[in-house]
Amino acid sequence: HEADGDFFRLQPTVKLLINGEFKDSSTDSWINVTNPATQDVVSRLPLTTVAEFNAAVQAAKDAFPAWRATPVPTRQRVMLKFQELIRQNWDELAKSVTTEQGKTFQDAKGDVFRGLEVVEAACGIAPLLMGETVENVAGGIDCYSLRQPLGVCAGICPFNFPAMVPLWMYPLAVTAGNTFVLKPSEKDPGASLMLADLAMQAGLPRGVLNIVHGTRDVVNNILDHPDIAAVSFVGGDAAGRYIYGRAAANGKRVQCNLGAKNHAVVLPDADVDSTVKALTGASFGAAGQRCMAISAVVFVGGFERWREPMLEAAKSLKVNGGMEPDADVGPMITPQAKQRAEALIQAGIDQGAQCLLDGRGVVVPGYEKGNFVGPTLLAGVQPHMDCYKQEIFGPVLSCLEVNTLDEAIAVVNANPYGNGTAIFT
C-alpha cells in the first residue's frame, strides 16, 4: 500500500538491520502491521528495495571471513550473554508478540522461552561441530572429515511464532560460524528486531546478522542470490514447496517445515480428565495457529462418553484480547485467516459433520473488530471432508470415530500431512 496522509507519517516504521545499523528503508512501498485484536496499525513495514537487500547480503558476506575465524568459545560467549539479555527482556518481547500476533501474554512468554532454549543449546554447540577420523580405511590411508561453516545463510519466518522461529534459525547458524540474513514475517516483525538488538548488545559483530522485510519479491531475492548458501523456511505447504524447489534449483542447501495435520488417538481406557485437558490445550491454545496443534482426534470405540467432557472444557475457555489476564484464546492473525477457518467449519457442516460448539460470530467486548473465532468442536467427521483434509490453522477440533486401534492408525497414516501423533491410553 502506498503511504499517504498524516496518519501514515505518524506511524512508527519498521527498521532494516544492515551491517550493524538499524536503518529506515528508502522504499516507496509499505504495508501495515496491525494488532489482530483491534485492527489498530502498530507500525509500517517496508518492502525492502533490491539495493537494500543486496547491501544486507554483502554485509553478511563481508563479515563472514572474520567471524568464521573467531574461536568457537568466543562465539559461544556471545550466546551466553544473549540468553541472559533475553531473560532480562522476556516480558517486553512477549508484549510485542501479543500486540502483533495476538496470542495470549502467557502463550507469548512461552513463544520466547522455546526460542531461548535454542539459544541455550547454541551455548554448548562445540561437540556438534566436531569432525570424524577413521584410521586405515585402505592400505596406508586415513580418512577425516571437518565440519565447516557454509557462509551466508538466510531464514524465512512465519507469523505464528515471531520469537521462537527466528531463534530456531540464526543462533545455531551464527554460533557455527555462519553469517545470516533474516526475513521475519511481514505480519509481526517486532520481536525479531528486538532480539537482533539484544544479540548485538551481547557482542554479535556488525554484519553477522542482518534483517530485511517484505513479501514474495524479497523471498525470491533470497532464493536467487548467488552469495546465499543455505535457506531455512517455516510456513505453509504451497510456499514451502515453491521455496524448496527454487532454492534447490539454485544449488542452495534448503530445509522447509511445512503444513501439518496432527492427530490424537484416544483409546477407551484413557483417563478422562487429563486427556480432555490435554486435547483442549493442544487444539485451541494459540487459537490453533501452531504447527503442532492437534486438529483431529480419532476416538477408538466411539465418541459418546467423551462428548460432554469435551464440550464442557471447550466452553470454559475464555476468548479475549491477548493482554487480558483471563484470556485463554486470542484472535487469529488476519481477517482472511478468520474467514478461511469459518468457511472450513461451514464446509464440514455441509458435508455432514455435527457442529457441537460453533465459535463463529463470537463478539469480544472491547475488541469488537478482532479476528476472533471461538473454540469449535466438530463431531462425526469423515476423512473425505474438507475440514479434515485441509489444515485449518484455527481453533477447530475435528472428532472421528473408529472401532479399533488398527483402524485409527490406518486413518492417521492415510492423511498426507505429517508432524505429530499423540496416543492417550
Side-chain angles (χ1 to χ4, degrees):
H1 307 292
E2 295 299 320
D4 56 23
D6 291 339
F7 172 79
F8 290 107
R9 283 194 288 272
L10 292 171
Q11 300 306 307
T13 57
V14 179
K15 308 296 184 188
L16 305 169
L17 175 59
I18 300 175
N19 198 30
E21 295 182 15
F22 289 101
K23 297 182 175 183
D24 284 313
S25 174
S26 63
T27 186
D28 293 326
S29 300
W30 299 80
I31 56 179
N32 291 334
V33 178
T34 58
N35 182 328
T38 63
Q39 307 308 324
D40 292 342
V41 176
V42 178
S43 58
R44 295 168 56 233
L45 178 135
L47 303 186
T48 305
T49 67
V50 172
E52 290 163 346
F53 176 81
N54 289 337
V57 177
Q58 189 64 46
K61 183 180 180 180
D62 292 345
F64 176 60
W67 183 241
R68 172 182 177 163
T70 301
V72 174
T74 303
R75 303 197 299 248
Q76 287 175 297
R77 278 193 289 274
V78 174
M79 289 298 116
L80 282 165
K81 182 63 177 176
F82 188 28
Q83 63 85 27
E84 178 188 1
L85 292 173
I86 292 173
R87 289 180 182 278
Q88 290 173 4
N89 293 273
W90 198 333
D91 282 3
E92 289 305 308
L93 287 160
K95 286 176 185 174
S96 171
V97 170
T98 296
T99 300
E100 294 183 349
Q101 198 275 344
K103 64 179 65 176
T104 68
F105 181 63
Q106 289 304 315
D107 219 353
K109 291 188 72 172
D111 187 332
V112 176
F113 179 69
R114 292 303 183 196
L116 173 62
E117 290 182 313
V118 181
V119 179
E120 292 172 337
C123 296
I125 201 171
L128 300 177
L129 303 181
M130 295 172 62
E132 296 175 327
T133 301
V134 181
E135 292 184 321
N136 213 29
V137 295
I141 298 175
D142 298 337
C143 180
Y144 69 92
S145 63
L146 302 174
R147 292 182 182 270
Q148 296 179 332
L150 296 171
V152 181
C153 301
I156 302 166
C157 299
F159 74 83
N160 58 331
F161 282 90
M164 181 185 78
V165 174
L167 292 175
W168 277 0
M169 293 181 177
Y170 67 82
L172 289 168
V174 301
T175 314
N178 300 287
T179 55
F180 211 87
V181 176
L182 182 75
K183 193 205 86 67
S185 170
E186 68 277 9
K187 297 179 177 69
D188 45 21
S192 285
L193 290 162
M194 295 170 69
L195 287 164
D197 187 35
L198 297 178
M200 291 192 298
Q201 290 180 40
L204 203 63
R206 294 164 66 95
V208 173
L209 174 63
N210 305 272
I211 295 180
V212 296
H213 302 291
T215 52
R216 187 184 181 98
D217 287 347
V218 173
V219 169
N220 285 337
N221 290 339
I222 289 172
L223 305 181
D224 293 344
H225 199 292
D227 290 331
I228 293 177
V231 177
S232 291
F233 169 78
V234 177
D237 242 41
R241 293 179 189 279
Y242 171 81
I243 287 166
Y244 190 90
R246 187 157 174 166
N250 285 325
K252 304 183 189 309
R253 296 193 187 187
V254 54
Q255 57 182 1
C256 292
N257 296 314
L258 310 185
K261 197 74 177 181
N262 305 296
H263 291 69
V265 175
V266 178
L267 298 186
D269 63 350
D271 178 75
V272 174
D273 290 345
S274 61
T275 300
V276 168
K277 182 179 180 181
L279 290 176
T280 51
S283 54
F284 305 130
Q289 297 174 123
R290 290 192 285 222
C291 47
M292 289 303 297
I294 293 289
S295 53
V297 187
V298 185
F299 291 93
V300 178
F303 176 63
E304 198 55 41
R305 70 181 286 246
W306 299 95
R307 179 188 300 261
E308 287 308 315
M310 287 294 299
L311 262 174
E312 185 180 342
K315 286 178 179 177
S316 72
L317 297 176
K318 179 75 171 180
V319 181
N320 211 339
M323 289 305 297
E324 301 298 336
D326 64 348
D328 296 310
V329 179
M332 298 187 68
I333 187 67
T334 61
Q336 294 76 21
K338 173 186 174 181
Q339 291 163 9
R340 181 177 180 276
E342 291 179 339
L344 284 167
I345 293 169
Q346 187 60 48
I349 296 169
D350 292 344
Q351 292 169 342
Q354 300 170 274
C355 189
L356 303 181
L357 182 63
D358 192 342
R360 294 174 296 175
V362 63
V363 177
V364 179
Y367 297 94
E368 288 80 5
K369 295 181 180 179
N371 309 320
F372 292 99
V373 177
T376 298
L377 204 58
L378 297 176
V381 173
Q382 299 293 326
H384 70 272
M385 296 179 180
D386 290 339
C387 63
Y388 175 76
K389 290 193 297 184
Q390 297 188 37
E391 183 182 30
I392 299 176
F393 224 58
V396 182
L397 184 61
S398 296
C399 300
L400 297 83
E401 300 178 56
V402 297
N403 293 318
T404 67
L405 176 58
D406 285 344
E407 290 178 55
I409 292 171
V411 168
V412 173
N413 287 341
N415 192 285
Y417 288 102
N419 268 18
T421 301
I423 187 165
F424 294 87
T425 183

